[in-house]
Amino acid sequence: MVCPRIQLKLDKEKDRAYRCTVYPSSNTLFQVKYLDDVSVDLNNRTCTCRKWDLTGIPCYHVCAVAGFINRNAEDFCDSYFTKQMYLKSYEFTIPPLPSEKYWPAVDYPMEPPPIKIGPGRPKKNRRKEPHELTNKPGKLSKHGMFMTCRKCNGKGHNKSTCTENSTGTSQQKRKRGRPRKTAMAETSQGTQQSTQTTQQSGQQKRSRGRPRKSVAAQQSTQTTHVDSQAPVALP
C-alpha cells in the first residue's frame, strides 16, 4: 500500500507503539499515555504531538490506536504516500527531446538585452571587503581572531595584562631605562658575596683531599719540637 521509504519510517513508529497505553473516549477519539498524555482524533486526522498533521505519516500514538481498534497503520497514511498515487504520477508520457541539430530554424534575431548605463562616473576600483585593510594592501585584518595569553592560555587578554601566573609566584616587572647606582651597588655586593661563598665552598672541598705543603711543614716542625723536649737517657 505504501512506498518503501515511507514503510521503513512507519515500521520504526510501530516499534515504539507497543509501549503506549490507549484509553478510548469515543469511537474516533482516544487518549494515549506514554511519558505524557496526548489525544488522537481519527476524524480530523490530528494528534497532540502534531507529527501526523505535518508529515502525513502516522506517529507511534496513532499506530497504538490503530492496533487497539484492530486496523493497519498504513490505512491512516496520507494518500500522497500510497503506491497508487506514485504510479499515477508517471501515468503520462514525457515526449523525447531531439538534439540542437534538429531544432527548427528561427528568423528572429537572438541578441542580448540592451545594457543600461546608470548616472554618474563609473567606478574602476575593486569593491573591498568590509574588514579589509585599506592602508596595507594584500594583508588580512585580525577581525574575528581572539587574543591568547602565553602564560595561562586564556582568551581575551595577552601576556602583559594577565592576572594569573603559571609559576605561582609574583614576578616584579623590570623598569625601563638605565638602573640607578643603588641598584648597581646592591648587585655588586651580591656578586661579591656569591664569589666569597663559592671560594669558601671550594676551600672546604679541597681540604678533604691530600694536604698541601704548608700543612705538612707545620706538622714536621711540631714533631721536631716535641723530640727536642723529650728527656735524654744517660749511659
Side-chain angles (χ1 to χ4, degrees):
M1 292 180 62
V2 187
C3 296
R5 293 181 62 183
I6 307 302
Q7 187 67 44
L8 292 175
K9 295 181 180 180
L10 190 61
D11 292 340
K12 292 181 180 179
E13 299 294 337
K14 287 181 180 179
D15 294 339
R16 298 179 63 185
Y18 292 104
R19 306 174 185 176
C20 300
T21 306
V22 181
Y23 299 98
S25 177
S26 64
N27 293 331
T28 58
L29 188 63
F30 300 88
Q31 181 180 359
V32 182
K33 186 174 183 180
Y34 173 64
L35 300 177
D36 53 357
D37 296 341
V38 297
S39 61
V40 177
D41 191 355
L42 298 181
N43 283 339
N44 297 325
R45 303 179 69 86
T46 58
C47 180
T48 308
C49 67
R50 297 193 62 199
K51 189 175 182 180
W52 189 25
D53 309 351
L54 296 174
T55 61
I57 303 172
C59 59
Y60 62 95
H61 304 113
V62 181
C63 293
V65 173
F68 184 79
I69 60 177
N70 297 324
R71 292 184 62 182
N72 295 325
E74 288 79 5
D75 298 338
F76 298 97
C77 285
D78 195 85
S79 61
Y80 179 79
F81 301 115
T82 57
K83 181 181 177 180
Q84 296 177 358
M85 187 64 67
Y86 182 82
L87 296 175
K88 191 176 181 180
S89 60
Y90 291 96
E91 183 180 359
F92 302 97
T93 59
I94 300 174
L97 182 65
S99 61
E100 187 178 357
K101 179 181 178 181
Y102 302 100
W103 288 0
V106 181
D107 296 335
Y108 297 101
M110 301 295 292
E111 296 181 356
I115 301 173
K116 184 179 180 181
I117 300 176
R121 184 177 179 181
K123 296 180 181 181
K124 295 182 179 180
N125 296 332
R126 179 178 60 85
R127 293 183 180 181
K128 298 181 179 181
E129 297 293 333
H131 304 292
E132 187 177 357
L133 296 176
T134 56
N135 54 354
K136 295 181 181 180
K139 291 187 178 181
L140 299 175
S141 62
K142 293 184 179 180
H143 177 76
M145 296 179 64
F146 294 96
M147 193 181 299
T148 306
C149 180
R150 294 183 180 180
K151 288 185 177 181
C152 63
N153 295 328
K155 300 291 184 180
H157 65 279
N158 55 5
K159 180 181 177 181
S160 59
T161 59
C162 182
T163 57
E164 298 181 2
N165 196 350
S166 60
T167 58
T169 57
S170 60
Q171 298 178 358
Q172 295 181 357
K173 294 183 180 180
R174 185 178 178 182
K175 296 182 179 180
R176 296 182 180 180
R178 187 174 181 180
R180 296 183 181 180
K181 293 182 179 180
T182 55
M184 292 175 66
E186 290 177 357
T187 53
S188 62
Q189 290 179 3
T191 52
Q192 289 178 3
Q193 291 178 0
S194 62
T195 52
Q196 289 178 3
T197 53
T198 52
Q199 289 177 1
Q200 291 176 3
S201 61
Q203 290 177 2
Q204 292 176 1
K205 289 180 180 179
R206 288 175 183 175
S207 62
R208 294 178 183 177
R210 188 176 180 181
R212 294 183 181 180
K213 291 182 180 181
S214 59
V215 178
Q218 290 177 5
Q219 291 178 359
S220 63
T221 52
Q222 289 177 2
T223 53
T224 53
H225 182 69
V226 171
D227 294 339
S228 62
Q229 292 180 2
V232 180
L234 297 175

